[in-house]
Amino acid sequence: MKITRIKTIVTCPDRNFVTVKVETDEGLYGIGDATLNGRELAVVAYLDEHVAPCLIGMDAGRIEDIWQYLYRGCYWRRGAVTMTAIAAIDTALWDIKAKAANMPLYQLLGGKSRDGVMVYGHANGVDIEETVDEVAKYMDLGYLAIRAQTGIPGLPTTYGVSEDKMYYEPADASLPSTALWSTSKYMHHIPQLFDRLRNTFGFDVHLLHDVHHRLTPIEAGRVGKALEPYDLFWLEDAVPAENQAAFRTVRQHTTTPLAIGEVFNSIWDCKELIEEGLIDYIRATVVHAGGVSHLKKIFDFAAMHHVRSGSHGATDLSPVCMGAALHLDTAIYNFGIQEYMRHTEKTDDVFPHSYYFSKGYLHPGDVPGHGVDIDEDIAAKYPYQRAFLPVNRLADGSMFNW
Ligand code: GCO
Ligand code: MG
């Protein structure tokens, strides 16, 4: 089966998504997510100019060989743009292979290891009271695991707190808006949130929290220790991890489970973290970590070191990424949890999908392939709109991590 055409489709049904469609001479096609939040058109140019022309005429069934061709063959390895482009092609080729086999993708990845994929939703409020109400809403919806974020007194806006509670959208402006950050205000406030949540809801619900790369290792150790009585499922992205060894300090000071990985592109971003047992959950995902092929390798490596999966699933990862991720989540042995932020109705119209939520679990469905398609006519109604994540500054005006 030969690759005859590779199309990149950009659409903005409430937010931007980039989708790759790989067509073959046998009429089968596959799709892959290529969305890199705030850098969407860089990936489009990479795919259109530097990937698509090279793959025309190649055998669509040679997934591993095409992956290595794009990774090793281009000389410039890794990086978010490259690995997102590779991920999109890889996901589309797995979609084609599973369709050709007339099987849902999880069958080709080893078959089902579980009956459903436990997900966590996002509860957030401007203050602790509002976050408590939001957690209650998620429990009523049947969620078994809930991430809780709250506004911090003295900071006008805070990461993770959104106006629209149903559909969280982190890229909020056509140029980056500026937020104010204070580590001391945050560190003082966050244990109060979890104290209140556990007193209200007890210990049966899983609670998670995202620090969004805002602390130093020793600060993260202190926050982790302060949160130990509240038994978090995980503390996410406590410290930026360009320097993986920094996590040794965090680990020495707290037993709160640690998760990281949404900005990682390859095994080389997390090899020491996994090998040295410095984390509990690896949160890399299909679209930004080289597709189904490479993420499966990361997860299998993690399994050897008692590290479980926890894939990123924010709204800026398209339903195509979610579909593919759910097949991997279903098949691997060491699955932990999957993030699930609902997409808007417009987005769901553009991307018809077989996955569905029931009682705290997502299910990939049983249609051949990864079960997600794109309606190109509806997609064409929503042209690209430039959008950025905010940036963060400290009170003295200096730049900080977003
Ligand atoms: C999460 C993430 C997101 C990211 C966003 C960036 O845990 O879901 O931290 O909120 O900020 O996906 O594009
Ligand atoms: Mg996060």
Side-chain angles (χ1 to χ4, degrees), residues 32-50:
D33 182 18
T35 311
L36 183 61
N37 202 6
R39 297 292 182 272
E40 293 86 357
L41 301 188
V43 184
V44 172
Y46 192 102
L47 281 161
D48 286 350
E49 196 55 33
H50 307 293

mmCIF file with all atom_site columns, all heavy atoms in Angstrom, residues 32-50:
data_model
loop_
_atom_site.group_PDB
_atom_site.id
_atom_site.type_symbol
_atom_site.label_atom_id
_atom_site.label_alt_id
_atom_site.label_comp_id
_atom_site.label_asym_id
_atom_site.label_entity_id
_atom_site.label_seq_id
_atom_site.pdbx_PDB_ins_code
_atom_site.Cartn_x
_atom_site.Cartn_y
_atom_site.Cartn_z
_atom_site.occupancy
_atom_site.B_iso_or_equiv
_atom_site.pdbx_formal_charge
_atom_site.auth_seq_id
_atom_site.auth_comp_id
_atom_site.auth_asym_id
_atom_site.auth_atom_id
_atom_site.pdbx_PDB_model_num
ATOM 1   N N   . GLY A 1 32 ? -3.605 11.946 11.813 1.00 0.00 ? 32 GLY A N   1
ATOM 2   C CA  . GLY A 1 32 ? -2.797 12.119 13.018 1.00 0.00 ? 32 GLY A CA  1
ATOM 3   C C   . GLY A 1 32 ? -2.878 13.568 13.482 1.00 0.00 ? 32 GLY A C   1
ATOM 4   O O   . GLY A 1 32 ? -3.011 14.484 12.658 1.00 0.00 ? 32 GLY A O   1
ATOM 5   N N   . ASP A 1 33 ? -2.800 13.775 14.790 1.00 0.00 ? 33 ASP A N   1
ATOM 6   C CA  . ASP A 1 33 ? -2.800 15.130 15.352 1.00 0.00 ? 33 ASP A CA  1
ATOM 7   C C   . ASP A 1 33 ? -1.394 15.714 15.246 1.00 0.00 ? 33 ASP A C   1
ATOM 8   O O   . ASP A 1 33 ? -0.405 15.040 15.578 1.00 0.00 ? 33 ASP A O   1
ATOM 9   C CB  . ASP A 1 33 ? -3.237 15.064 16.826 1.00 0.00 ? 33 ASP A CB  1
ATOM 10  C CG  . ASP A 1 33 ? -3.328 16.431 17.497 1.00 0.00 ? 33 ASP A CG  1
ATOM 11  O OD1 . ASP A 1 33 ? -3.395 17.450 16.781 1.00 0.00 ? 33 ASP A OD1 1
ATOM 12  O OD2 . ASP A 1 33 ? -3.358 16.478 18.755 1.00 0.00 ? 33 ASP A OD2 1
ATOM 13  N N   . ALA A 1 34 ? -1.308 16.986 14.792 1.00 0.00 ? 34 ALA A N   1
ATOM 14  C CA  . ALA A 1 34 ? -0.007 17.678 14.689 1.00 0.00 ? 34 ALA A CA  1
ATOM 15  C C   . ALA A 1 34 ? -0.087 19.043 15.355 1.00 0.00 ? 34 ALA A C   1
ATOM 16  O O   . ALA A 1 34 ? 0.578  19.989 14.939 1.00 0.00 ? 34 ALA A O   1
ATOM 17  C CB  . ALA A 1 34 ? 0.380  17.826 13.214 1.00 0.00 ? 34 ALA A CB  1
ATOM 18  N N   . THR A 1 35 ? -0.890 19.158 16.408 1.00 0.00 ? 35 THR A N   1
ATOM 19  C CA  . THR A 1 35 ? -1.109 20.469 17.039 1.00 0.00 ? 35 THR A CA  1
ATOM 20  C C   . THR A 1 35 ? -0.053 20.756 18.095 1.00 0.00 ? 35 THR A C   1
ATOM 21  O O   . THR A 1 35 ? 0.141  19.967 19.015 1.00 0.00 ? 35 THR A O   1
ATOM 22  C CB  . THR A 1 35 ? -2.510 20.512 17.698 1.00 0.00 ? 35 THR A CB  1
ATOM 23  O OG1 . THR A 1 35 ? -3.478 20.058 16.766 1.00 0.00 ? 35 THR A OG1 1
ATOM 24  C CG2 . THR A 1 35 ? -2.830 21.913 18.171 1.00 0.00 ? 35 THR A CG2 1
ATOM 25  N N   . LEU A 1 36 ? 0.625  21.895 17.949 1.00 0.00 ? 36 LEU A N   1
ATOM 26  C CA  . LEU A 1 36 ? 1.601  22.350 18.945 1.00 0.00 ? 36 LEU A CA  1
ATOM 27  C C   . LEU A 1 36 ? 1.136  23.746 19.350 1.00 0.00 ? 36 LEU A C   1
ATOM 28  O O   . LEU A 1 36 ? 1.296  24.711 18.589 1.00 0.00 ? 36 LEU A O   1
ATOM 29  C CB  . LEU A 1 36 ? 3.002  22.374 18.332 1.00 0.00 ? 36 LEU A CB  1
ATOM 30  C CG  . LEU A 1 36 ? 4.160  22.752 19.258 1.00 0.00 ? 36 LEU A CG  1
ATOM 31  C CD1 . LEU A 1 36 ? 4.292  21.781 20.426 1.00 0.00 ? 36 LEU A CD1 1
ATOM 32  C CD2 . LEU A 1 36 ? 5.469  22.788 18.465 1.00 0.00 ? 36 LEU A CD2 1
ATOM 33  N N   . ASN A 1 37 ? 0.549  23.827 20.525 1.00 0.00 ? 37 ASN A N   1
ATOM 34  C CA  . ASN A 1 37 ? -0.138 25.036 20.976 1.00 0.00 ? 37 ASN A CA  1
ATOM 35  C C   . ASN A 1 37 ? 0.728  26.292 20.815 1.00 0.00 ? 37 ASN A C   1
ATOM 36  O O   . ASN A 1 37 ? 1.834  26.368 21.352 1.00 0.00 ? 37 ASN A O   1
ATOM 37  C CB  . ASN A 1 37 ? -0.519 24.851 22.448 1.00 0.00 ? 37 ASN A CB  1
ATOM 38  C CG  . ASN A 1 37 ? -1.652 25.754 22.880 1.00 0.00 ? 37 ASN A CG  1
ATOM 39  O OD1 . ASN A 1 37 ? -2.249 26.456 22.062 1.00 0.00 ? 37 ASN A OD1 1
ATOM 40  N ND2 . ASN A 1 37 ? -1.966 25.737 24.162 1.00 0.00 ? 37 ASN A ND2 1
ATOM 41  N N   . GLY A 1 38 ? 0.217  27.270 20.078 1.00 0.00 ? 38 GLY A N   1
ATOM 42  C CA  . GLY A 1 38 ? 0.933  28.534 19.908 1.00 0.00 ? 38 GLY A CA  1
ATOM 43  C C   . GLY A 1 38 ? 2.028  28.504 18.863 1.00 0.00 ? 38 GLY A C   1
ATOM 44  O O   . GLY A 1 38 ? 2.632  29.533 18.561 1.00 0.00 ? 38 GLY A O   1
ATOM 45  N N   . ARG A 1 39 ? 2.324  27.326 18.305 1.00 0.00 ? 39 ARG A N   1
ATOM 46  C CA  . ARG A 1 39 ? 3.346  27.192 17.262 1.00 0.00 ? 39 ARG A CA  1
ATOM 47  C C   . ARG A 1 39 ? 2.804  26.324 16.115 1.00 0.00 ? 39 ARG A C   1
ATOM 48  O O   . ARG A 1 39 ? 3.558  25.616 15.444 1.00 0.00 ? 39 ARG A O   1
ATOM 49  C CB  . ARG A 1 39 ? 4.628  26.528 17.832 1.00 0.00 ? 39 ARG A CB  1
ATOM 50  C CG  . ARG A 1 39 ? 5.318  27.330 18.930 1.00 0.00 ? 39 ARG A CG  1
ATOM 51  C CD  . ARG A 1 39 ? 5.931  28.627 18.394 1.00 0.00 ? 39 ARG A CD  1
ATOM 52  N NE  . ARG A 1 39 ? 6.639  29.367 19.423 1.00 0.00 ? 39 ARG A NE  1
ATOM 53  C CZ  . ARG A 1 39 ? 6.098  30.273 20.240 1.00 0.00 ? 39 ARG A CZ  1
ATOM 54  N NH1 . ARG A 1 39 ? 4.798  30.551 20.151 1.00 0.00 ? 39 ARG A NH1 1
ATOM 55  N NH2 . ARG A 1 39 ? 6.819  30.907 21.137 1.00 0.00 ? 39 ARG A NH2 1
ATOM 56  N N   . GLU A 1 40 ? 1.497  26.412 15.897 1.00 0.00 ? 40 GLU A N   1
ATOM 57  C CA  . GLU A 1 40 ? 0.833  25.490 14.967 1.00 0.00 ? 40 GLU A CA  1
ATOM 58  C C   . GLU A 1 40 ? 1.421  25.547 13.556 1.00 0.00 ? 40 GLU A C   1
ATOM 59  O O   . GLU A 1 40 ? 1.663  24.521 12.925 1.00 0.00 ? 40 GLU A O   1
ATOM 60  C CB  . GLU A 1 40 ? -0.670 25.810 14.877 1.00 0.00 ? 40 GLU A CB  1
ATOM 61  C CG  . GLU A 1 40 ? -1.460 25.557 16.151 1.00 0.00 ? 40 GLU A CG  1
ATOM 62  C CD  . GLU A 1 40 ? -1.438 26.744 17.124 1.00 0.00 ? 40 GLU A CD  1
ATOM 63  O OE1 . GLU A 1 40 ? -0.757 27.765 16.838 1.00 0.00 ? 40 GLU A OE1 1
ATOM 64  O OE2 . GLU A 1 40 ? -2.101 26.650 18.171 1.00 0.00 ? 40 GLU A OE2 1
ATOM 65  N N   . LEU A 1 41 ? 1.640  26.787 13.051 1.00 0.00 ? 41 LEU A N   1
ATOM 66  C CA  . LEU A 1 41 ? 2.026  26.896 11.640 1.00 0.00 ? 41 LEU A CA  1
ATOM 67  C C   . LEU A 1 41 ? 3.482  26.497 11.398 1.00 0.00 ? 41 LEU A C   1
ATOM 68  O O   . LEU A 1 41 ? 3.857  26.170 10.263 1.00 0.00 ? 41 LEU A O   1
ATOM 69  C CB  . LEU A 1 41 ? 1.731  28.304 11.114 1.00 0.00 ? 41 LEU A CB  1
ATOM 70  C CG  . LEU A 1 41 ? 0.249  28.713 11.212 1.00 0.00 ? 41 LEU A CG  1
ATOM 71  C CD1 . LEU A 1 41 ? 0.007  30.042 10.501 1.00 0.00 ? 41 LEU A CD1 1
ATOM 72  C CD2 . LEU A 1 41 ? -0.696 27.647 10.662 1.00 0.00 ? 41 LEU A CD2 1
ATOM 73  N N   . ALA A 1 42 ? 4.280  26.487 12.466 1.00 0.00 ? 42 ALA A N   1
ATOM 74  C CA  . ALA A 1 42 ? 5.656  25.980 12.323 1.00 0.00 ? 42 ALA A CA  1
ATOM 75  C C   . ALA A 1 42 ? 5.610  24.484 11.980 1.00 0.00 ? 42 ALA A C   1
ATOM 76  O O   . ALA A 1 42 ? 6.383  24.000 11.140 1.00 0.00 ? 42 ALA A O   1
ATOM 77  C CB  . ALA A 1 42 ? 6.436  26.205 13.613 1.00 0.00 ? 42 ALA A CB  1
ATOM 78  N N   . VAL A 1 43 ? 4.703  23.754 12.597 1.00 0.00 ? 43 VAL A N   1
ATOM 79  C CA  . VAL A 1 43 ? 4.595  22.314 12.315 1.00 0.00 ? 43 VAL A CA  1
ATOM 80  C C   . VAL A 1 43 ? 4.017  22.096 10.908 1.00 0.00 ? 43 VAL A C   1
ATOM 81  O O   . VAL A 1 43 ? 4.446  21.190 10.184 1.00 0.00 ? 43 VAL A O   1
ATOM 82  C CB  . VAL A 1 43 ? 3.730  21.592 13.379 1.00 0.00 ? 43 VAL A CB  1
ATOM 83  C CG1 . VAL A 1 43 ? 3.708  20.090 13.127 1.00 0.00 ? 43 VAL A CG1 1
ATOM 84  C CG2 . VAL A 1 43 ? 4.239  21.886 14.790 1.00 0.00 ? 43 VAL A CG2 1
ATOM 85  N N   . VAL A 1 44 ? 3.075  22.959 10.520 1.00 0.00 ? 44 VAL A N   1
ATOM 86  C CA  . VAL A 1 44 ? 2.498  22.837 9.166  1.00 0.00 ? 44 VAL A CA  1
ATOM 87  C C   . VAL A 1 44 ? 3.600  22.997 8.118  1.00 0.00 ? 44 VAL A C   1
ATOM 88  O O   . VAL A 1 44 ? 3.718  22.198 7.181  1.00 0.00 ? 44 VAL A O   1
ATOM 89  C CB  . VAL A 1 44 ? 1.387  23.900 8.942  1.00 0.00 ? 44 VAL A CB  1
ATOM 90  C CG1 . VAL A 1 44 ? 0.929  23.907 7.483  1.00 0.00 ? 44 VAL A CG1 1
ATOM 91  C CG2 . VAL A 1 44 ? 0.203  23.634 9.875  1.00 0.00 ? 44 VAL A CG2 1
ATOM 92  N N   . ALA A 1 45 ? 4.443  24.024 8.282  1.00 0.00 ? 45 ALA A N   1
ATOM 93  C CA  . ALA A 1 45 ? 5.520  24.262 7.316  1.00 0.00 ? 45 ALA A CA  1
ATOM 94  C C   . ALA A 1 45 ? 6.484  23.072 7.302  1.00 0.00 ? 45 ALA A C   1
ATOM 95  O O   . ALA A 1 45 ? 6.927  22.631 6.231  1.00 0.00 ? 45 ALA A O   1
ATOM 96  C CB  . ALA A 1 45 ? 6.277  25.541 7.683  1.00 0.00 ? 45 ALA A CB  1
ATOM 97  N N   . TYR A 1 46 ? 6.801  22.554 8.473  1.00 0.00 ? 46 TYR A N   1
ATOM 98  C CA  . TYR A 1 46 ? 7.719  21.414 8.575  1.00 0.00 ? 46 TYR A CA  1
ATOM 99  C C   . TYR A 1 46 ? 7.155  20.217 7.802  1.00 0.00 ? 46 TYR A C   1
ATOM 100 O O   . TYR A 1 46 ? 7.869  19.558 7.031  1.00 0.00 ? 46 TYR A O   1
ATOM 101 C CB  . TYR A 1 46 ? 7.908  21.071 10.057 1.00 0.00 ? 46 TYR A CB  1
ATOM 102 C CG  . TYR A 1 46 ? 9.030  20.109 10.366 1.00 0.00 ? 46 TYR A CG  1
ATOM 103 C CD1 . TYR A 1 46 ? 10.249 20.568 10.860 1.00 0.00 ? 46 TYR A CD1 1
ATOM 104 C CD2 . TYR A 1 46 ? 8.880  18.741 10.167 1.00 0.00 ? 46 TYR A CD2 1
ATOM 105 C CE1 . TYR A 1 46 ? 11.280 19.693 11.155 1.00 0.00 ? 46 TYR A CE1 1
ATOM 106 C CE2 . TYR A 1 46 ? 9.900  17.856 10.454 1.00 0.00 ? 46 TYR A CE2 1
ATOM 107 C CZ  . TYR A 1 46 ? 11.094 18.340 10.950 1.00 0.00 ? 46 TYR A CZ  1
ATOM 108 O OH  . TYR A 1 46 ? 12.125 17.471 11.234 1.00 0.00 ? 46 TYR A OH  1
ATOM 109 N N   . LEU A 1 47 ? 5.861  19.973 8.020  1.00 0.00 ? 47 LEU A N   1
ATOM 110 C CA  . LEU A 1 47 ? 5.230  18.822 7.358  1.00 0.00 ? 47 LEU A CA  1
ATOM 111 C C   . LEU A 1 47 ? 5.132  19.030 5.844  1.00 0.00 ? 47 LEU A C   1
ATOM 112 O O   . LEU A 1 47 ? 5.501  18.157 5.051  1.00 0.00 ? 47 LEU A O   1
ATOM 113 C CB  . LEU A 1 47 ? 3.827  18.599 7.936  1.00 0.00 ? 47 LEU A CB  1
ATOM 114 C CG  . LEU A 1 47 ? 3.782  17.894 9.290  1.00 0.00 ? 47 LEU A CG  1
ATOM 115 C CD1 . LEU A 1 47 ? 2.445  18.131 9.981  1.00 0.00 ? 47 LEU A CD1 1
ATOM 116 C CD2 . LEU A 1 47 ? 4.035  16.385 9.122  1.00 0.00 ? 47 LEU A CD2 1
ATOM 117 N N   . ASP A 1 48 ? 4.632  20.203 5.453  1.00 0.00 ? 48 ASP A N   1
ATOM 118 C CA  . ASP A 1 48 ? 4.376  20.431 4.018  1.00 0.00 ? 48 ASP A CA  1
ATOM 119 C C   . ASP A 1 48 ? 5.672  20.471 3.221  1.00 0.00 ? 48 ASP A C   1
ATOM 120 O O   . ASP A 1 48 ? 5.751  19.952 2.109  1.00 0.00 ? 48 ASP A O   1
ATOM 121 C CB  . ASP A 1 48 ? 3.634  21.761 3.813  1.00 0.00 ? 48 ASP A CB  1
ATOM 122 C CG  . ASP A 1 48 ? 2.179  21.663 4.242  1.00 0.00 ? 48 ASP A CG  1
ATOM 123 O OD1 . ASP A 1 48 ? 1.711  20.533 4.514  1.00 0.00 ? 48 ASP A OD1 1
ATOM 124 O OD2 . ASP A 1 48 ? 1.514  22.717 4.323  1.00 0.00 ? 48 ASP A OD2 1
ATOM 125 N N   . GLU A 1 49 ? 6.685  21.105 3.802  1.00 0.00 ? 49 GLU A N   1
ATOM 126 C CA  . GLU A 1 49 ? 7.902  21.364 3.048  1.00 0.00 ? 49 GLU A CA  1
ATOM 127 C C   . GLU A 1 49 ? 8.947  20.270 3.218  1.00 0.00 ? 49 GLU A C   1
ATOM 128 O O   . GLU A 1 49 ? 9.663  19.924 2.284  1.00 0.00 ? 49 GLU A O   1
ATOM 129 C CB  . GLU A 1 49 ? 8.462  22.724 3.505  1.00 0.00 ? 49 GLU A CB  1
ATOM 130 C CG  . GLU A 1 49 ? 9.491  23.325 2.596  1.00 0.00 ? 49 GLU A CG  1
ATOM 131 C CD  . GLU A 1 49 ? 9.034  23.474 1.150  1.00 0.00 ? 49 GLU A CD  1
ATOM 132 O OE1 . GLU A 1 49 ? 7.847  23.712 0.909  1.00 0.00 ? 49 GLU A OE1 1
ATOM 133 O OE2 . GLU A 1 49 ? 9.899  23.322 0.261  1.00 0.00 ? 49 GLU A OE2 1
ATOM 134 N N   . HIS A 1 50 ? 9.028  19.702 4.438  1.00 0.00 ? 50 HIS A N   1
ATOM 135 C CA  . HIS A 1 50 ? 10.173 18.845 4.744  1.00 0.00 ? 50 HIS A CA  1
ATOM 136 C C   . HIS A 1 50 ? 9.824  17.382 5.000  1.00 0.00 ? 50 HIS A C   1
ATOM 137 O O   . HIS A 1 50 ? 10.720 16.562 5.145  1.00 0.00 ? 50 HIS A O   1
ATOM 138 C CB  . HIS A 1 50 ? 10.924 19.410 5.958  1.00 0.00 ? 50 HIS A CB  1
ATOM 139 C CG  . HIS A 1 50 ? 11.303 20.851 5.788  1.00 0.00 ? 50 HIS A CG  1
ATOM 140 N ND1 . HIS A 1 50 ? 12.223 21.272 4.848  1.00 0.00 ? 50 HIS A ND1 1
ATOM 141 C CD2 . HIS A 1 50 ? 10.849 21.981 6.391  1.00 0.00 ? 50 HIS A CD2 1
ATOM 142 C CE1 . HIS A 1 50 ? 12.337 22.585 4.907  1.00 0.00 ? 50 HIS A CE1 1
ATOM 143 N NE2 . HIS A 1 50 ? 11.510 23.036 5.820  1.00 0.00 ? 50 HIS A NE2 1
#
